[in-house]
């Protein structure tokens, strides 16, 4: 169940009620594909006030396998995580040509990345896996066209995604677990609109926008978000898959998106990119060699309170693995804090002021 607490323009602050408590929105989720974040422990996630993350159901069903996770009391028990967990169907793997063998109306044929065997995922199987994992929110299986696909392929993927969405809804019987549908349609307005209408016609607990942020121009992505949000019923939580840069988070919150996931904060951190209120900085650059300021003067994370840019610059220069962990922790804190500030600003109807404060992003 989703409850909107406040709105400011199109921006919304709400609460998504799950089996593991209410999760406040706007919400940012880091990606924990194999039930872990890269370089960041779950304890550090909690300290960064991360309320939820998204794991890959398909990969977890292969390794360690559902028998292990079920015996541990579900994914929450296995990881010892008491807050929210979304699982995605594995549809995102379709984007990876390395794993995809064939896709047809029955489902997706993958190459098992662990033992290279052939494996098959249908909409029904994808729901059964996510039920067994016991995540708070399950995602439908969708057919994601690669960036640059033809209009014919995008139309085919959107039509298939709708058929699969109906089969997922039919299979999903869990009362504890929420189920979100996913819209496709690439950046073709007519197809994106039609997909939003089709997926919205099914009574899902939330609606996600998929197949965006995969290389298309940013203005096009924002346009697709804007037109989709006019179609998705306002009482449903709206989830934009794949967005996680500070600037895009604020832009999409302003358009009425409630939930985000992305590996952007941690992936870029591993390459030396740190988020700050005044924009992203690359600590590998020699400009930071003698910079004894913290990454971000206002950030209260354990990295900013203990280390200087010069020290972090040094760690990257000498390729100390520690550097990846430290910057990942900072970027997660920064991102979690940014969406928290957005929630508070929306409640106080000061979201516009917050956006102005971050205009240098
Ligand atoms: Zn920090």
């Amino acid at each position: 169940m989703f409850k909107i607490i406040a709105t400011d323009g199109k921006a919304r602050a709400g609460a998504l009620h799950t089996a593991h408590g209410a999760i406040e929105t706007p919400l940012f989720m880091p990606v924990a594909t194999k039930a872990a974040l890269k370089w960041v422990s779950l304890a550090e996630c909690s300290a960064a006030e991360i309320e939820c993350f998204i794991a890959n159901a398909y990969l977890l069903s292969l390794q360690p396998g559902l028998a292990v996770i079920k015996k541990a009391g579900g994914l929450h028990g296995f990881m010892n995580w008491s807050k929210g967990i979304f699982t995605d169907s594995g549809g995102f793997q379709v984007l990876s040509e390395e794993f995809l063998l064939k896709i047809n109306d029955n489902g997706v044929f993958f190459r098992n990345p662990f033992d290279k065997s052939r494996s098959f995922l249908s909409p029904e199987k994808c729901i059964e896996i996510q039920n067994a994992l016991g995540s708070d929110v399950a995602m439908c299986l969708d057919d994601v066209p690669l960036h640059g696909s033809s209009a014919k392929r995008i139309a085919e993927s959107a039509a298939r995604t709708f058929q699969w969405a109906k089969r997922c809804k039919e299979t999903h019987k869990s009362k504890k677990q929420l189920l979100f549908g996913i819209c496709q349609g690439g950046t073709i307005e007519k197809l994106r609109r039609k997909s939003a209408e089709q997926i919205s016609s099914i009574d899902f607990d939330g609606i996600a926008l998929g197949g965006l942020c995969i290389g298309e121009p940013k203005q096009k992505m924002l346009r697709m978000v804007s037109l989709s949000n006019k179609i998705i019923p306002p009482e449903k939580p709206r989830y934009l898959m794949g967005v996680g840069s500070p600037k895009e988070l604020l832009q999409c919150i302003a358009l009425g998106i409630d939930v985000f996931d992305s590996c952007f904060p941690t992936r870029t951190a591993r390459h030396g990119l740190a988020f700050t209120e005044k924009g992203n900085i690359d600590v590998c650059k020699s400009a930071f060699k003698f910079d004894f300021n913290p990454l971000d003067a206002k950030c209260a994370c354990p990295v900013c309170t203990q280390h200087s840019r010069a020290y972090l610059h040094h760690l990257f220069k000498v390729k100390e693995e520690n550097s990846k962990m430290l910057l990942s922790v900072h970027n997660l804190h920064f991102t979690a804090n940014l969406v928290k500030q957005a929630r508070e600003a929306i409640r106080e109807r000061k979201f516009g002021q917050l956006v102005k404060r971050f205009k240098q992003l």
Side-chain angles (χ1 to χ4, degrees):
M1 196 196 78
F2 181 60
K3 196 163 180 264
I4 296 171
I5 296 161
T7 57
D8 187 2
K10 289 182 195 151
R12 301 127 58 96
L16 182 65
H17 293 267
T18 74
H20 289 83
I23 302 167
E24 293 187 5
T25 64
L27 164 73
F28 168 77
M29 299 188 282
V31 178
T33 304
K34 297 175 194 166
L37 270 76
K38 287 189 169 60
W39 296 98
V40 182
S41 70
L42 291 177
E44 284 162 327
C45 268
S46 284
E49 296 188 57
I50 294 293
E51 295 293 317
C52 197
F53 56 78
I54 182 157
N56 187 300
Y58 166 68
L59 289 178
L60 291 171
S61 74
L62 300 176
Q63 189 66 259
L66 294 180
V68 173
I69 295 176
K70 272 188 189 168
K71 201 161 186 186
L75 195 48
H76 287 85
F78 185 53
M79 297 175 66
N80 191 26
W81 177 259
S82 59
K83 298 178 187 177
I85 303 179
F86 279 49
T87 41
D88 68 3
S89 57
F92 193 75
Q93 297 300 322
V94 175
L95 278 171
S96 169
E97 286 171 319
E98 188 193 342
F99 297 136
L100 177 67
L101 293 174
K102 194 172 83 178
I103 187 161
N104 62 28
D105 291 341
N106 296 327
V108 192
F109 296 86
F110 289 108
R111 184 160 310 284
N112 179 330
F114 300 107
D115 65 9
K116 309 294 179 220
S117 65
R118 217 174 135 87
S119 118
F120 173 68
L121 194 61
S122 66
E124 291 78 12
K125 194 174 160 192
C126 135
I127 294 299
E128 284 159 17
I129 290 171
Q130 294 182 85
N131 281 166
L133 293 173
S135 55
D136 297 289
V137 179
M139 303 299 299
C140 286
L141 184 68
D142 61 337
D143 178 6
V144 189
L146 292 166
H147 171 58
S149 294
S150 67
K152 187 170 169 256
R153 166 74 186 112
I154 294 169
E156 175 199 67
S157 92
R160 184 173 287 145
T161 295
F162 180 41
Q163 296 310 317
W164 287 0
K166 287 190 269 191
R167 286 163 60 185
C168 286
K169 176 71 181 166
E170 186 72 16
T171 310
H172 189 264
K173 304 288 180 212
S174 169
K175 296 250 183 301
K176 279 187 179 171
Q177 185 182 54
L178 305 176
L179 177 65
F180 280 27
I182 308 178
C183 308
Q184 288 295 335
T187 53
I188 300 171
E189 291 197 12
K190 201 173 82 181
L191 294 177
R192 184 57 67 179
R193 215 173 261 129
K194 187 176 173 189
S195 184
E197 282 165 4
Q198 288 177 328
I199 300 299
S200 298
S201 73
I202 305 171
D203 188 21
F204 286 119
D205 299 301
I207 308 282
L209 304 179
L212 293 173
C213 326
I214 55 173
E216 74 281 7
K218 211 173 83 175
Q219 286 310 318
K220 270 200 175 172
M221 181 271 280
L222 294 172
R223 170 95 193 106
M224 296 304 119
V225 170
S226 183
L227 70 85
S228 304
N229 283 354
K230 284 180 188 146
I231 295 165
I232 300 168
E235 67 275 14
K236 304 269 177 177
R238 302 162 180 156
Y239 167 19
L240 176 58
M241 307 181 87
V243 155
S245 81
K247 186 175 182 174
E248 289 174 0
L249 286 170
L250 289 179
Q251 285 175 322
C252 295
I253 290 170
L255 292 173
I257 295 289
D258 308 294
V259 180
F260 302 88
D261 82 280
S262 174
C263 55
F264 187 80
T266 45
R267 196 187 63 222
T268 52
R270 297 197 294 277
H271 294 98
L273 193 84
F275 299 164
T276 85
E277 262 201 39
K278 293 180 178 155
N280 302 339
I281 58 167
D282 178 358
V283 295
C284 301
K285 285 192 172 161
S286 53
F288 301 108
K289 192 171 180 179
F290 289 95
D291 189 339
F292 298 99
N293 294 301
L295 291 171
D296 185 290
K298 287 188 187 154
C299 181
C301 88
V303 182
C304 290
T305 49
Q306 294 176 62
H307 301 300
S308 67
R309 292 172 170 189
Y311 175 65
L312 295 163
H313 171 82
H314 159 71
L315 294 184
F316 271 95
K317 275 293 171 207
V318 296
K319 297 191 167 53
E320 268 298 334
E321 302 284 31
N322 214 359
S323 58
K324 297 177 184 172
M325 181 270 283
L326 292 170
L327 246 64
S328 297
V329 165
H330 163 75
N331 279 0
L332 279 183
H333 268 265
F334 184 92
T335 310
N337 190 40
L338 182 70
V339 291
K340 184 181 176 185
Q341 289 180 77
R343 289 195 293 267
E344 287 165 1
I346 295 164
R347 285 199 203 111
E348 293 167 13
R349 293 184 160 266
K350 288 179 179 168
F351 185 66
Q353 287 177 32
L354 182 79
V355 171
K356 265 188 207 150
R357 214 182 93 208
F358 284 92
K359 66 179 184 298
Q360 291 179 69
L361 288 178

